[in-house]
Amino acid sequence: MAAKIDNSKCIACGACVYTCPFGAISDKSYILDVIDLIKKSEDNTKYKLHAVVAPSISSQFTYAKLGQVISGIKALGFHHVAEAALGADMVAWTEAQELVEKGFLTSSCCPAFVAYIKKNFPTMVDKISHNLSPMAAISKYIKETDPGAKIVFIGPCTAKKAEVQLESVKPWVDACITFEELQALIDARDIELTALPEDVLDNASYYGRIFARSGGLTDAVAQAVKEQKLDFELKPVACDGIEACKLALMKASKGLLPNNFIEGMACVGGCIGGAGCLTHGEKNKADVDKYGKEAMEKTIGDALGVVLK
Ligand code: SF4
Ligand code: SF4
């Protein structure tokens, strides 16, 4: 009997995609849309094509340096590569304010976690942060700065492909591909990453960059509370994997959770465990932390200097 996905329950986390031993399940690909966007930009003369890369990119493409991957993305035809981590800085900043105002909040960064709440804990929906995700926040900022721009998000996530279809996100992101699909594009164009010079990524803070792993968002919100001198005792719980999220939500829905902020990431380990990652392993967390420490901007306020002016 053929297996069938019950869409009323599916949260598009992609766990089935990468755990199936036979590779029998695949997610919807927007790779052709991205090729079309590259072609129609006519070398960025018709419109500027921006790539927004998730911070977990720092733990992928282990055979090349991160700066070479950025050069590779530009060699595909992108005008600019921006860090979704700067969107994470924006989210941490405003999420801290929202938390202080409401007193209890769940994060909204992970679309699979948000879908899980909507489908399984409808009474908790009003507790979900109203912030856009980091991907949508930085894309909105780019499009408001350059209204004709087109944006492709490149990340570890299959759930983002569903998120970009939402009415609140659709205007800001034109297509979404995974790291696996980026690798396929690079291979198709015979681009040798290791032969390319190193470009730079220098938008975000340490805190925005560590969103990629479980606990990073919580650290960033705590830092945003501190930097804004908000009078609030943050009592967070960081949940990775749907089982941990379910437990916290169950307790919160019954008034039994001692915490006032739930960081929810559907993938074990956070986004470094995403279904569209090229690698899944212990080293990925260390790579993300190293990438965070390399940030030129040491505080969230520093990273947002340009945006908050
Ligand atoms: S995407 Fe996630 S929720 Fe949907 S069927 Fe696959 S494992 Fe289940
Ligand atoms: S934890 Fe990250 S990669 Fe996994 S579903 Fe959520 S946003 Fe996507």
Side-chain angles (χ1 to χ4, degrees):
M1 195 178 98
K4 194 169 171 291
I5 291 175
D6 181 346
N7 284 323
S8 69
K9 291 185 180 157
C10 176
I11 57 170
C13 68
C16 53
V17 173
Y18 91 93
T19 48
C20 174
F22 305 105
I25 304 172
S26 58
D27 61 330
K28 183 168 166 49
S29 177
Y30 292 93
I31 206 163
L32 293 177
D33 302 66
V34 174
I35 292 169
D36 202 44
L37 281 166
I38 292 172
K39 270 194 190 152
K40 288 185 176 152
S41 85
E42 295 185 14
D43 211 9
N44 293 295
T45 56
K46 295 290 177 199
Y47 49 80
K48 300 272 190 295
L49 185 59
H50 296 250
V52 169
V53 293
S56 45
I57 196 168
S58 55
S59 66
Q60 305 293 306
F61 303 94
T62 46
Y63 64 94
K65 296 191 169 125
L66 179 58
Q68 292 175 317
V69 180
I70 304 309
S71 294
I73 295 171
K74 287 189 181 168
L76 285 171
F78 286 86
H79 164 70
H80 183 249
V81 182
E83 293 189 79
L86 180 58
D89 282 319
M90 294 172 184
V91 167
W93 194 262
T94 49
E95 200 147 290
Q97 295 166 355
E98 190 185 0
L99 175 58
V100 173
E101 195 183 303
K102 295 182 177 166
F104 180 93
L105 215 57
T106 81
S107 58
S108 60
C109 298
C110 169
F113 173 65
V114 170
Y116 185 75
I117 297 177
K118 288 182 176 166
K119 291 184 177 186
N120 297 280
F121 292 91
T123 59
M124 295 288 294
V125 168
D126 63 334
K127 308 292 183 205
I128 302 169
S129 166
H130 288 170
N131 274 279
L132 288 172
S133 69
M135 167 192 77
I138 186 63
S139 301
K140 180 171 184 272
Y141 174 71
I142 293 171
K143 286 208 174 181
E144 283 173 350
T145 312
D146 175 6
K150 303 276 184 196
I151 297 180
V152 175
F153 176 74
I154 305 171
C157 187
T158 52
K160 291 277 173 205
K161 293 182 178 183
E163 184 191 346
V164 299
Q165 307 301 324
L166 299 175
E167 289 305 319
S168 56
V169 178
K170 215 184 250 181
W172 313 121
V173 187
D174 296 280
C176 170
I177 54 170
T178 61
F179 294 133
E180 279 184 336
E181 289 164 319
L182 173 61
Q183 181 65 69
L185 279 174
I186 289 169
D187 289 344
R189 289 277 301 277
D190 279 332
I191 295 169
E192 190 60 62
L193 291 184
T194 53
L196 296 177
E198 287 183 63
D199 209 319
V200 285
L201 261 187
D202 61 355
N203 314 115
S205 80
Y206 165 80
Y207 296 95
R209 288 182 171 188
I210 60 167
F211 257 60
R213 50 107 171 135
S214 171
L217 190 164
T218 294
D219 290 352
V221 170
Q223 176 70 11
V225 168
K226 194 170 125 197
E227 284 185 35
Q228 294 176 88
K229 298 187 175 51
L230 301 174
D231 185 17
F232 186 77
E233 191 192 352
L234 177 64
K235 288 185 273 179
V237 56
C239 308
D240 64 312
I242 272 304
E243 282 308 313
C245 294
K246 181 180 174 184
L247 190 62
L249 289 166
M250 210 178 271
K251 285 184 185 170
S253 65
K254 293 184 175 145
L256 298 173
L257 191 76
N259 312 88
N260 53 21
F261 180 66
I262 302 177
E263 169 191 315
M265 296 288 178
C267 299
V268 174
C271 296
I272 49 176
C277 278
L278 293 161
T279 67
H280 293 91
E282 272 303 303
K283 197 175 158 290
N284 293 0
K285 180 178 178 296
D287 285 343
V288 164
D289 285 338
K290 181 167 166 281
Y291 168 62
K293 286 183 186 137
E294 286 165 3
M296 312 263 269
E297 315 293 354
K298 297 300 172 202
T299 67
I300 298 174
D302 283 349
L304 296 186
V306 177
V307 180
L308 293 176
K309 254 184 227 165

